Amino acid sequence: MTIKFSDITVVVQGPVQAYQGRDQQTGITQICLDSIRTHLPGARIILSTWEGQDCTGLTPDLLLQHPDPGANVVAYNAQGEAQKLNFNRQIVSTREGLKRVQTPYAVKLRSDNFLTGNGFVAALAQFPARCASDIRFTEPVVVNTSYFRRYAEGQRVIMHPSDFFHFGRTEDLLKIWDLPLFKDRPFDPAQAGKAQYHGAPLTSPHAEQIYCDLWLRRLDDGFLPLAHRHQFSAGQAERWDRFMASNLRVLEPAQLGLGLIARFIPKTKRPNEMSHLDWLLLYRRYCDPAFPASALKLFTSLGWRRLLKMPLSYLKFRLTLGKKA
């Protein structure tokens, strides 16, 4: 299977300038657009942002400026102060951009990231095997490992794919991003004096888990609602692993050709993140038993660091909880 660049539309989503609560590297969106022209010549570009963003000089094929949904209230601290996140801004800019795509394939790319290559295009042909009973997308979706957590606070977690980059069939990306907007969390007077958030009094899910919880359970009703960050069972973990093996293609940024701004680049691979080597072992287990994936290579590159760091991360987490109690 060969995918032509002209069959791909890149939806560049998010802010093109700094705003309150979000720094933006000067000129990064122009760098992003230029990188697409360089590495995907012939692809169409949609820049999907919101009203009030200065897009002067930017030249996508289509510019979409939506009414700004603003940040939404997701929690209250013990003092009753509202805590806000940009869930709705990401949903609107991504969803509405994807709805205007007319090509069979699409890329979801943050406006503060950029391309360094096009390795993601070949990934679908490179890993063709799937388990028929686990298929949920028409074709697999390529995702990146940055902030794709396999562990949090030293504990295994599920349903935490990165939302930086997605490549796949346009219809499949819409299965992920055609989400309803979040309503502001109401303040509960009966809980005054206590922190109020999704998962309270346990640890709140990460934003990526909250998104995934919504779209994944629409595709597979065998997943349970995620009540808190560390909700985990052997059965649900295997179901998530099987889903990843057949429906995702998990690549390191350098493999797929994703450029990250400096604050997203660690000095060494984060041991709490999914790695391509983790995913290869899942692919071999559930899709292609003959595929040459190496558990030894995973251990020597990342696994030994997990053995050292995950218990320490968990201990630190428990000590922090003890101080809050």
Side-chain angles (χ1 to χ4, degrees), residues 114-168:
F114 52 94
L115 297 184
T116 60
N118 52 42
F120 59 90
V121 179
L124 298 184
Q126 187 178 0
F127 306 104
R130 306 176 77 186
C131 176
S133 62
D134 295 329
I135 291 175
R136 299 293 180 270
F137 291 139
T138 306
E139 293 182 24
V141 172
V142 181
V143 300
N144 120 90
T145 59
S146 297
Y147 292 92
F148 190 143
R149 288 179 175 87
R150 192 158 178 81
Y151 299 85
E153 292 79 36
Q155 302 167 73
R156 272 290 307 276
V157 293
I158 61 172
M159 297 164 64
H160 197 307
S162 173
D163 59 7
F164 279 17
F165 177 97
H166 292 151
F167 167 66

Side-chain angles (χ1 to χ4, degrees), residues 194-213:
K194 300 178 181 178
Q196 301 179 33
Y197 55 86
H198 183 144
L202 300 175
T203 309
S204 175
H206 284 292
E208 295 90 341
Q209 288 178 298
I210 292 174
Y211 288 129
C212 186
D213 182 52

Side-chain angles (χ1 to χ4, degrees), residues 79-255:
Q79 291 72 46
E81 298 167 332
Q83 312 295 307
K84 296 182 177 182
L85 289 175
N86 289 307
F87 286 6
N88 289 341
R89 280 176 167 152
Q90 177 158 217
I91 289 173
V92 167
S93 58
T94 304
R95 180 187 68 193
E96 298 308 310
L98 288 170
K99 285 182 176 179
R100 299 293 294 272
V101 172
Q102 298 179 346
T103 53
Y105 293 92
V107 172
K108 182 269 194 201
L109 181 65
R110 286 171 53 129
S111 57
D112 59 356
N113 291 334
F114 52 94
L115 297 184
T116 60
N118 52 42
F120 59 90
V121 179
L124 298 184
Q126 187 178 0
F127 306 104
R130 306 176 77 186
C131 176
S133 62
D134 295 329
I135 291 175
R136 299 293 180 270
F137 291 139
T138 306
E139 293 182 24
V141 172
V142 181
V143 300
N144 120 90
T145 59
S146 297
Y147 292 92
F148 190 143
R149 288 179 175 87
R150 192 158 178 81
Y151 299 85
E153 292 79 36
Q155 302 167 73
R156 272 290 307 276
V157 293
I158 61 172
M159 297 164 64
H160 197 307
S162 173
D163 59 7
F164 279 17
F165 177 97
H166 292 151
F167 167 66
R169 300 286 302 192
T170 303
E171 63 195 90
D172 292 324
L173 267 58
L174 277 167
K175 292 173 186 174
I176 296 173
W177 287 107
D178 191 5
L179 298 174
L181 297 187
F182 287 81
K183 296 180 180 179
D184 287 341
R185 186 179 186 88
F187 181 80
D188 183 359
Q191 297 297 314
K194 300 178 181 178
Q196 301 179 33
Y197 55 86
H198 183 144
L202 300 175
T203 309
S204 175
H206 284 292
E208 295 90 341
Q209 288 178 298
I210 292 174
Y211 288 129
C212 186
D213 182 52
L214 290 176
W215 61 258
L216 185 58
R217 288 191 292 112
R218 293 194 305 190
L219 297 178
D220 186 338
D221 60 9
F223 283 97
L224 301 176
L226 199 64
H228 59 89
R229 182 180 304 176
H230 302 113
Q231 180 174 309
F232 183 88
S233 71
Q236 290 285 283
E238 182 182 12
R239 196 174 193 94
W240 174 234
D241 284 350
R242 295 184 70 99
F243 178 89
M244 288 191 287
S246 282
N247 296 283
L248 302 181
R249 299 295 179 256
V250 183
L251 277 66
E252 304 294 337
Q255 291 175 305

